[in-house]
Amino acid sequence: MGTPEAGVLTEAFEAERRGLFAHAYRMLGAYHEAEDVVQDTYVRALRGWETFERRSSVRTWLYRITTNVCLTAIEGRGRRALASDVRPDDLGALVVEPFPTDPLDLVTARESVRLAFVAGLQHLAPRQRAVLLLREVLAFSAAETAAALDMSVPAVKSALQRARVRLAGAAPTRDDVLDATSPRARGLLARYMAAWEASDATAFREVLRADAAIEPVGSPTSYAGREACLAFATPAMGAAGDWRMVATGANAQPAAVAWFRGELFGVAVLTVTEGGIAAITLFGNPRAAEGFTAA
């Protein structure tokens, strides 16, 4: 595949790689699976390049491949969820993983990768999810979406309508969530990290809204309200210096990679508003911290 035409494919793929990665993440709710899907997309594109008839743009074709690889991956597995979204009969659900984001990355620094939105997407049937993302996030036309998913245009329109209704009931409203790059958001993140590093429960209390929530991902229990959050968190603070944190970005939200007594712990993703921290989503798994760098 060293031909000039193959070079066109490689150039197009590299230009779209980050967008394809974000799309696969939205479909799957899984960072590591999304990485595998992007690699699979390139392999499949190379194999199919000679028979690609240019009935669509290379970009559209690549997203079609990625979407269908995701649909295959979703088949036969449970949906991903966050702690507050786990029902008593759903304890085996896979968990949504955090997605590293750079404040300067225009592909992902937007509403479409916020944790609440990605978790809400997991409520949709796979093809509804694909239709909604292709139409409303990637701005594909109804005809392009129909071709990508081997559906009719009326079927695409019907699936989009159903997806919108279901997502509206599953995903929380944006409320007054701040952009991760705002001074207030950065300040709250800094104060959050300082409170934990100093084992200062009072300082931690001061950054929480009265209705704040802590959601340990993978646990069937979440904690709602400032006092409940403090009751859960204070015993885990340990002594000053037990925790070390580094600022980063996840899902276009402020986040901190955390170490406990020198061992990598995971990632805390904050939902921040002018009134303080509204939610803390805890990914207490070192694997969740893979791919993150300091902000």
Side-chain angles (χ1 to χ4, degrees):
M1 285 292 178
T3 66
E5 276 292 295
V8 172
L9 169 61
T10 299
E11 184 177 345
F13 177 80
E14 290 302 326
E16 297 294 337
R17 179 190 288 271
R18 184 64 174 170
L20 294 168
F21 191 7
H23 178 57
Y25 171 73
R26 296 181 195 106
M27 282 289 297
L28 301 170
Y31 173 79
H32 295 91
E33 271 192 275
E35 285 185 313
D36 293 339
V37 165
V38 172
Q39 293 305 313
D40 197 3
T41 294
Y42 184 57
V43 171
R44 294 188 184 206
L46 282 174
R47 289 173 179 168
W49 181 247
E50 291 183 359
T51 58
F52 175 47
E53 298 178 350
R54 300 297 186 104
R55 293 178 180 174
S56 66
S57 68
V58 176
R59 175 179 183 271
T60 299
W61 182 59
L62 289 172
Y63 276 98
R64 174 177 183 166
I65 295 172
T66 297
T67 301
N68 283 286
V69 172
C70 288
L71 290 172
T72 299
I74 291 168
E75 289 178 2
R77 74 165 202 201
R79 70 179 179 85
R80 291 185 177 269
L82 293 174
S84 61
D85 197 30
V86 174
R87 303 184 305 273
D89 62 345
D90 201 20
L91 296 182
L94 298 168
V95 297
V96 172
E97 296 174 353
F99 185 77
T101 50
D102 182 329
L104 301 179
D105 185 350
L106 299 180
V107 173
T108 56
R110 56 185 63 172
E111 289 297 309
S112 64
V113 291
R114 288 193 184 276
L115 274 174
F117 179 72
V118 173
L121 286 172
Q122 309 311 305
H123 285 268
L124 305 182
R127 282 190 173 270
Q128 287 181 3
R129 195 183 314 169
V131 167
L132 184 137
L133 291 173
L134 291 174
R135 292 284 287 120
E136 300 205 333
V137 175
L138 295 170
F140 276 35
S141 68
E144 288 174 324
T145 302
L149 298 173
D150 293 322
M151 299 170 65
S152 68
V153 170
V156 164
K157 292 180 178 179
S158 176
L160 179 59
Q161 184 176 28
R162 293 196 303 273
R164 285 170 174 166
V165 170
R166 191 166 186 187
L167 185 62
T173 57
R174 186 179 185 277
D175 193 25
D176 55 348
V177 176
L178 297 176
D179 185 275
T181 61
S182 72
R184 176 64 170 161
R186 287 183 171 273
L188 285 168
L189 174 61
R191 290 170 62 192
Y192 166 84
M193 294 190 299
W196 277 83
E197 291 180 335
S199 187
D200 188 339
T202 300
F204 179 51
R205 187 183 197 282
E206 290 174 351
V207 299
L208 299 176
R209 287 197 336 190
D211 61 348
I214 294 180
E215 191 166 31
V217 174
S219 165
T221 305
S222 57
Y223 304 86
R226 183 189 288 139
E227 300 312 317
C229 290
L230 288 167
F232 164 73
T234 301
M237 286 186 139
D242 279 353
W243 290 93
R244 182 172 74 86
M245 298 193 178
V246 174
T248 187
N251 298 81
Q253 298 170 231
V257 178
W259 288 260
F260 182 66
R261 296 176 180 171
E263 298 292 329
L264 183 61
F265 173 80
V267 181
V269 183
L270 310 186
T271 301
V272 294
T273 69
E274 283 292 346
I277 296 173
I280 302 167
T281 307
L282 295 177
F283 296 89
N285 183 335
R287 181 171 166 81
E290 293 177 9
F292 285 88
T293 57

